[in-house]
Each structure stands twice: as C-alpha cells, then as structure tokens.
Amino acid sequence: MNTALPAGYEISTDPGRLDAAQIHRWLSEDAYWALGRPREKQDAAIAGSLNFGVYDTASGAQLGYARVVTDHTTFAWLCDVYIAPDARGKGLGTALAATVRDHLAPYGIRRIMLATADAHGVYAKAGFEPLTTPEKWMVLGTQ
C-alpha cells in the first residue's frame, strides 16, 4: 500500500494556512456533493471540523483539502476531500486519506467513515473498505 506523500508537497492541519475562499470555490463549483453550497455554510463547516490542507512546498499554494468531523474518541467522518484538477493523478488524494487515517490513529477511534460515488480506489489504497453490513446503517436526510 503506497500512501506516501509525493516529493514537493506537504499536508498541514494548521487552520491559518487554509484558503477558505478557494476551498469554497472548489467545493461549491466542482464537487458533486457540495455544488451550490453557500460560503457561510462552508465557513461554518471548516470552523467545526479538523481540517487538512495539501500544499505545494515550493509556492505554498493550496492544492487540496479534506475535513473530518469527529469527537476524537469513538467516531470520525471524512468528508469534502478535494484535489485541484491540475494536481490530480499524483497520488495526493490517497496520501491525504492516509494522512487523515494516521493522524486519527492515536485516538483509538473505532470507525472512520466516508461516502464516495467515484473514488473508491483512492480510499482503498489508504485501507478503507466497503461496509460489510450495510443493512445495519441508516441515514436521515438526503443522500
């Protein structure tokens, strides 16, 4: 399982480095799960989450983002994972998912969940698997 971050990139949880305007543009304009999300909702989501930014080490430009909703004890939800189109295909998405996994590991969290319509292979490389008992899971709200 090669989940190493490629040379020339870094991942940080420093909220001061996040480009909230860019994150909002990416998600509200290009991410199928967040199209049209208002900026104030995105900003509130960032404020209430553990955030990860992917950066080009040479320029400092933000090239990716992910956030985790968690209690840091029993459960975590990985969401809003996005890599800029011109940075895709370099393994950054898999490295980002693996970094989230590794960051949460010391907490002993029993379950890290996510939902994806099209990136199963990216997450599988970081160890994520389909639900073995989907009949146990339920949802309230739109899917």
Side-chain angles (χ1 to χ4, degrees):
M1 187 170 7
N2 183 10
T3 58
L5 186 63
Y9 302 96
E10 63 182 331
I11 297 175
S12 173
T13 58
D14 179 357
R17 293 185 69 184
L18 295 173
D19 184 340
Q22 179 64 63
I23 293 166
H24 177 254
R25 276 191 301 279
W26 284 336
L27 297 177
S28 69
E29 296 175 10
D30 190 43
Y32 68 85
W33 65 89
L35 292 175
R37 182 183 290 168
R39 173 70 191 266
E40 61 274 8
K41 284 204 175 265
Q42 185 59 52
D43 288 349
I46 290 171
S49 301
L50 170 60
N51 301 279
F52 295 77
V54 180
Y55 304 92
D56 180 291
T57 54
S59 69
Q62 186 170 352
L63 301 174
Y65 174 73
R67 70 185 183 91
V68 177
V69 180
T70 184
D71 60 10
H72 292 94
T73 304
T74 62
F75 184 82
W77 180 261
L78 173 58
C79 54
D80 287 346
V81 179
Y82 188 90
I83 301 296
D86 59 344
R88 292 178 186 162
K90 301 175 182 178
L92 296 176
T94 297
L96 181 54
T99 298
V100 169
R101 176 200 65 207
D102 295 347
H103 182 91
L104 295 173
Y107 297 104
I109 292 173
R110 182 174 174 199
R111 183 172 291 118
I112 303 171
M113 301 288 298
L114 63 84
T116 184
D118 60 354
H120 296 79
V122 170
Y123 299 108
K125 291 177 190 171
F128 287 85
E129 300 175 347
L131 292 173
T132 56
T133 55
E135 67 278 4
K136 289 184 178 182
W137 296 88
M138 297 181 74
V139 64
L140 175 64
T142 61
Q143 293 185 28

